């Protein structure tokens, strides 16, 4: 008799949400987390009284959490409280010094745009008027429904006919969608940067990501206590239902017999048998390292090998001794959409850092979490994190050697454009390089978004939530449908949990 009905590899949001739904259905479920901390990229760690979010820094689409806890029959607020973040972000163009903030209100954002691009204010309102009414239906029909075959895709359209209006977004790029509605360079840049939430530049990321800008106007939230509050809340709900979580339990092999998953083997040699195995780790890593070529048909293996990993996101963690002169939880330190696209081809793919006039400019997203929750830092002090854009493989250099210099260059970039004299107030500094993320979180090449999100890796072309090659094997997490980011991973966990419980009902 198997030890468990379900074993889940990985204690991230995708794995935990799947596990909670399986446990709710009466299935004996175990979550195995390789580290000593829950959440993976969506977590928080403490040092010297400063609490830093590892990666993820806000919550979009809070409805995904309501949907999960509705299915669990539990109160979301009890397990994961949220505080609204407004303004959404402060945008700073590092090349021209342009700066403005977008509030949550659609009308308020149009007013901001009207100050520097009057003709685009109406365009923004028209964009919002066209897509806001169909967002809810799109989320319900696309985010919580499996998309494992072309038949599934057809069913999605039949179920929600208005989806025809957004189908062109599946076969075009983020940049083309934005450029269709907006002509001003600054507005384009402020609408295009969200492509990097999917780990791709605007001209390669799937067009569907263009509506993220509108989803943000539905509300942005932060959990008091840090982003770890999210996975910890789901873990608590899972354990309240009778589930079990083990830490420092690294899985090295999925046990397969006759192309069916039978359990897992841990780093120390322990074998745990299970009727079903759910993996929330990188799909490419799962199939190539934990299962192996001998168990997978040649055509599936070929497809797995062809999958491209997402970009990594170098993270800088700063503790400062004062209240920084910022106005928003998020500050974007970026530039035009065209430069972001050129950065990818001229720098990223060549293993280089972005430069202006021969000097590094470290673009990225600054998060000021202690603005919302002062308890994250000692009294009178604050925490800042910086999520950057840089390749895993560096031409002629190594991340372990570059680390301190990269922090210096990032601080210098911020000082030039946003926070003068920042370096004088930094009393703690650290960084998680792409290599560090690979070591800590076991993300291959530091790929925090799993598989990239261009057109060839969306929907039916992503690794399926129910494996097509191995019976009793399921996938959750950023690598599978609908994709990376907190709402995408949570929705994927809901989908996978539904598949496991249905198949075992």
């Amino acid at each position: 008799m198997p030890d468990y009905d379900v074993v889940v590899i990985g204690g991230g949001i995708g794995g935990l949400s799947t596990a909670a739904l399986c446990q709710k259905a009466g299935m004996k479920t175990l979550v195995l987390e390789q580290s000593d901390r829950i959440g993976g990229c969506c977590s928080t760690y403490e040092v010297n009284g400063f609490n830093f979010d590892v990666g993820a820094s806000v919550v979009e689409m809070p409805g995904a959490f309501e949907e999960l806890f509705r299915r669990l029959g539990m109160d979301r607020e009890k397990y994961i409280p949220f505080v609204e973040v407004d303004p959404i972000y402060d945008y700073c163009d590092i090349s021209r010094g342009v700066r403005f903030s977008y509030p949550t209100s659609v009308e308020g954002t149009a007013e901001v745009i009207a100050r520097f691009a009057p003709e685009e204010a109406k365009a923004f309102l028209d964009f919002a008027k066209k897509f806001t009414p169909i967002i809810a239906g799109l989320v319900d029909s696309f985010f919580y429904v499996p998309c494992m075959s072309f038949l599934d895709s057809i069913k999605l359209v039949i179920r929600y006919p208005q989806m025809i209006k957004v189908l062109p977004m599946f076969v075009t790029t983020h940049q083309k969608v934005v450029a269709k509605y907006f002509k001003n360079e600054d507005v384009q840049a402020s609408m295009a940067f969200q492509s990097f939430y999917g780990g791709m530049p605007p001209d390669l990321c799937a067009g569907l990501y263009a509506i993220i800008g509108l989803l943000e106007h539905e509300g942005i939230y932060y959990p008091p206590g840090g982003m770890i509050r999210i996975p910890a809340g789901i873990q608590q709900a899972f354990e309240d239902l009778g589930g079990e979580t083990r830490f420092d339990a690294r899985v090295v092999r999925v046990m397969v017999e006759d192309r069916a998953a039978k359990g897992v083997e841990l780093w120390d040699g322990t074998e745990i048998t299970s009727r079903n195995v759910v993996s929330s780790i990188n799909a490419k890593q799962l199939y190539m390292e934990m299962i192996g070529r001998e168990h997978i048909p040649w055509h599936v293996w070929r497809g797995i090998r062809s999958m491209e990993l997402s970009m990594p996101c170098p993270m800088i963690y700063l503790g400062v001794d004062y209240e920084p002169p910022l106005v928003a939880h998020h500050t974007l330190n970026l530039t035009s959409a065209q430069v972001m696209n050129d950065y990818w081809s001229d720098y990223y793919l060549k293993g280089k850092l972005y430069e202006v006039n021969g000097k590094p400019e470290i673009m990225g997203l600054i998060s000021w979490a202690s603005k919302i929750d002062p308890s994250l830092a000692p009294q009178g002090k604050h925490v800042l994190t910086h999520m950057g854009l840089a390749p895993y493989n560096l031409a002629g250099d190594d991340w372990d050697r570059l680390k301190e210099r990269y922090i210096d260059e990032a601080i210098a970039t911020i000082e030039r454009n946003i926070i003068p004299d920042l370096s004088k107030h930094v009393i703690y500094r650290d960084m998680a390089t792409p290599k560090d993320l690979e070591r800590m979180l076991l993300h291959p090449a530091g790929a925090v978004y799993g598989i990239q999100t261009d057109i060839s890796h969306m929907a039916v072309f992503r690794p399926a939530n129910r494996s097509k090659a191995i019976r009793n094997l399921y996938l959750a997490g950023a690598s599978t449908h609908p994709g990376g980011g907190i709402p995408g991973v949570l929705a994927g966990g809901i989908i996978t949990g539904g598949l496991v419980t249905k198949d075992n009902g």
Side-chain angles (χ1 to χ4, degrees):
M1 182 176 178
D3 299 318
Y4 293 88
D5 295 315
V6 182
V7 166
V8 178
I9 306 171
I13 292 175
L16 288 168
S17 54
T18 300
L21 290 168
C22 291
Q23 188 67 38
K24 172 68 175 179
M27 306 175 74
K28 185 182 179 183
T29 305
L30 169 68
V31 171
L32 299 170
E33 167 54 39
Q34 59 90 19
S35 73
D36 61 356
R37 184 174 57 230
I38 202 72
C41 291
C42 183
S43 193
T44 308
Y45 76 98
E46 184 273 336
V47 58
N48 299 338
F50 293 104
N51 292 269
F52 298 102
D53 292 324
V54 174
S57 54
V58 292
V59 172
E60 298 171 327
M61 292 177 58
F65 289 90
E66 303 301 338
E67 179 65 19
L68 172 64
F69 280 89
R70 181 189 68 80
R71 297 189 184 204
L72 295 176
M74 306 172 94
D75 179 13
R76 188 272 304 164
E77 181 68 24
K78 173 184 174 182
Y79 291 92
I80 311 174
F82 288 139
V83 176
E84 186 171 9
V85 175
D86 196 1
I88 298 173
Y89 55 79
D90 187 32
Y91 175 80
C92 178
D93 188 308
I94 64 175
S95 62
R96 301 192 312 282
V98 176
R99 190 167 181 177
F100 51 86
S101 298
Y102 281 166
T104 300
S105 164
V106 169
E107 294 74 19
T109 298
E111 291 176 4
V112 171
I113 294 174
R115 296 171 193 164
F116 61 89
E119 71 284 358
E120 298 286 55
K122 183 179 184 302
F124 180 77
L125 291 173
D126 290 343
F127 183 76
K129 182 178 180 179
K130 179 175 181 179
F131 289 106
T132 298
I134 65 175
I135 285 177
L138 175 63
V139 168
D140 289 340
S141 61
F142 180 72
F143 262 60
Y144 306 128
V145 179
C147 192
M148 298 184 291
S149 66
F150 286 105
L151 179 59
D152 284 343
S153 300
I154 294 172
K155 289 179 179 178
L156 289 178
V157 177
I158 294 175
R159 179 184 177 188
Y160 184 62
Q162 279 192 308
M163 196 169 182
I164 294 175
K165 294 181 180 180
V166 296
L167 282 180
M169 289 187 174
F170 286 85
V171 293
T172 189
T173 66
H174 187 290
Q175 176 67 21
K176 289 180 179 178
V177 172
V178 172
K180 178 180 178 181
Y181 291 92
F182 307 101
K183 307 305 178 186
N184 180 272
E185 187 175 17
D186 296 315
V187 177
Q188 283 189 0
S190 70
M191 294 290 288
F193 85 92
Q194 290 95 340
S195 69
F196 286 106
Y197 287 173
M200 297 288 289
D203 212 25
L204 291 178
C205 188
L208 187 63
Y209 274 73
I211 67 171
I212 289 181
L214 283 181
L215 288 173
E216 291 174 332
H217 291 280
E218 296 291 313
I220 298 293
Y221 299 86
Y222 187 80
M227 294 300 287
I228 196 172
R229 190 75 177 267
I230 295 173
I234 302 175
Q235 177 196 0
Q236 186 61 60
F238 165 61
E239 293 179 353
D240 285 351
L241 291 167
E244 178 185 352
T245 309
R246 294 187 197 175
F247 292 93
D248 297 314
R250 179 175 175 179
V251 175
V252 296
R253 180 172 70 95
V254 175
M255 298 186 294
V256 177
E257 295 179 12
D258 299 323
R259 290 190 178 171
K262 299 295 183 180
V264 299
E265 180 184 353
L266 304 185
W267 182 268
D268 63 4
T270 301
E271 293 186 352
I272 302 173
T273 58
S274 178
R275 290 188 175 89
N276 305 274
V277 174
V278 176
S279 170
S280 65
I281 67 169
N282 187 283
K284 193 167 186 176
Q285 180 183 30
L286 166 70
Y287 282 114
M288 298 188 71
E289 298 180 16
M290 292 188 179
I291 294 177
R293 174 69 183 86
E294 66 272 22
H295 298 296
I296 299 175
W298 70 269
H299 62 285
V300 176
W301 184 259
R302 183 176 180 181
I304 293 167
R305 290 189 61 188
S306 71
M307 291 189 298
E308 296 287 343
L309 298 174
S310 79
M311 69 181 295
C313 293
M315 293 294 304
I316 295 174
Y317 311 106
L318 302 176
V320 297
D321 63 4
Y322 77 141
E323 181 174 317
L326 299 173
V327 299
H329 180 88
H330 273 172
T331 301
L332 297 170
N333 192 29
L334 296 172
T335 186
S336 70
Q338 185 57 54
V339 172
M340 285 190 273
N341 290 323
D342 292 343
Y343 159 76
W344 187 265
S345 58
D346 296 343
Y347 292 89
Y348 180 86
L349 295 179
K350 295 178 180 179
K352 300 191 298 182
L353 300 180
Y354 178 62
E355 294 183 346
V356 175
N357 298 323
K359 190 174 185 62
E361 287 281 339
I362 309 300
M363 296 186 290
L365 173 70
I366 301 169
S367 177
W368 180 22
S370 52
K371 177 182 188 295
I372 295 291
D373 184 1
S375 71
L376 295 176
Q379 187 173 2
K381 299 178 175 61
H382 286 270
V383 294
L384 299 173
T385 61
H386 180 279
M387 177 183 288
L389 311 172
Y392 174 79
N393 292 309
L394 295 172
D397 212 332
D398 178 84
W399 274 110
D400 291 336
R401 184 169 58 232
L402 177 65
K403 187 171 184 174
E404 291 301 322
R405 181 157 55 90
Y406 183 91
I407 298 175
D408 289 337
E409 297 292 357
I411 291 175
T413 300
I414 296 170
E415 285 186 321
R416 284 193 295 272
N417 299 287
I418 302 172
I419 311 177
D421 299 325
L422 172 62
S423 59
K424 297 178 181 179
H425 296 279
V426 174
I427 58 176
Y428 176 85
R429 53 184 269 172
D430 196 7
M431 178 182 181
T433 71
K435 280 195 172 182
D436 291 329
L437 293 171
E438 184 176 55
R439 293 165 184 150
M440 295 186 306
L441 305 179
L442 303 185
H443 290 318
V448 295
Y449 293 105
I451 306 300
Q452 69 181 31
T453 52
D454 63 348
I455 298 168
S456 66
H457 291 77
M458 283 289 289
V460 68
F461 300 112
R462 267 184 113 64
N465 300 73
R466 180 200 293 122
S467 175
K468 299 178 182 179
I470 306 295
R471 299 190 309 280
N472 307 329
L473 176 66
Y474 300 82
L475 278 69
S479 295
T480 193
H481 172 72
I486 291 178
V489 170
L490 184 63
I494 292 173
I495 291 172
T496 302
L499 289 171
V500 178
T501 55
K502 179 181 178 181
D503 292 347
N504 289 268

